[in-house]
Amino acid sequence: RQLGDGALMAALTRSRGGRMRDIVATIQAEQDEIIRNPHTGVLVVQGGPGTGKTTTVVTLAALLAEAGQRVVVVDLDGQANATRWLGVDPRTLAHTVGDVLLDECSAVEALVETNTQGVHLLPSNSSVNGDALELRDAVGREMRVKTAIRDLSDVDVVLIDCPGTIGLMTVIALVAADAALTVAQPSM
């Protein structure tokens, strides 16, 4: 089943306390009221490293898949932590999300299976940081992930893991996403 414009953000907002299982339960409970729209994209973004972005993406992906959603995780971080967490060795990849950004392959060609049933991955590795530099002057660079994920079929939700800094990859993710989930650490 597919989530419609704004519906995922509304579900995230209405979930009690923002806990992962509550978010998934809210999404599942409201699906009958949701206007269907292919590939609802959610990015997890925060301006600093070590705030739990990747943990949130991978956990949310697993819980959504467990609830019957077909999930794709897009790892836009050159550290490739989401790629590793999902059981994929970044050193052995034929294609990465960077190749998709540079139009060297399609999203379908770069998509890989993960260790989590119902979750597929557009993986990353350290070369993605260099790929971002190559995109610096490219016309339409902000639209490349959004355009690429349109080619994916049998997907309900796309979760985008962003780098710990605000830069081109975060801008690309913001353009591709229908909603943003910000991870914040409480301070004392």
Side-chain angles (χ1 to χ4, degrees):
R1 303 177 97 173
Q2 296 173 340
L3 305 174
D5 285 336
L8 183 57
M9 183 51 106
L12 293 171
T13 302
R14 285 190 291 278
S15 68
R16 290 168 272 135
R19 293 185 321 245
M20 293 288 182
R21 290 208 182 270
D22 291 337
I23 292 169
V24 172
T26 303
I27 292 168
Q28 292 297 103
E30 295 190 13
Q31 279 193 342
D32 290 337
E33 300 174 23
I34 294 171
I35 299 169
R36 296 189 180 196
N37 181 36
H39 314 316
T40 293
V42 178
L43 77 139
V44 176
V45 62
Q46 208 286 335
T51 55
K53 295 176 303 297
T54 300
T55 302
T56 301
V57 167
V58 172
T59 303
L60 189 54
L63 290 170
L64 285 166
E66 183 180 281
Q69 298 291 310
R70 297 163 298 182
V71 181
V72 168
V73 172
V74 178
D75 190 354
L76 285 180
D77 190 349
Q79 292 183 352
N81 289 326
T83 298
R84 282 187 198 89
W85 274 40
L86 290 168
V88 177
D89 184 348
R91 297 170 298 177
T92 63
L93 297 168
H95 299 290
T96 69
V97 69
D99 297 323
V100 174
L101 290 169
L102 295 174
D103 290 328
E104 293 174 2
C105 72
S106 70
V108 173
E109 292 171 308
L111 202 66
V112 297
E113 298 275 336
T114 70
N115 61 5
T116 305
Q117 185 175 352
V119 178
H120 287 82
L121 173 70
L122 277 177
S124 182
N125 63 20
S126 59
S127 70
V128 168
N129 295 328
D131 298 335
L133 291 175
E134 284 190 51
L135 284 174
R136 185 180 53 230
D137 297 322
V139 175
R141 65 185 179 266
E142 298 86 3
M143 295 296 296
R144 296 211 177 168
V145 168
K146 184 177 187 83
T147 302
I149 62 177
R150 286 184 188 153
D151 294 339
L152 301 175
S153 60
D154 297 326
V155 177
D156 296 315
V157 179
V158 176
L159 299 173
I160 306 170
D161 188 31
C162 293
T165 59
I166 304 297
L168 178 58
M169 291 302 207
T170 303
V171 171
I172 288 170
L174 282 166
V175 170
D178 298 314
L181 177 61
T182 301
V183 178
Q185 290 180 328
S187 61
M188 309 223 30

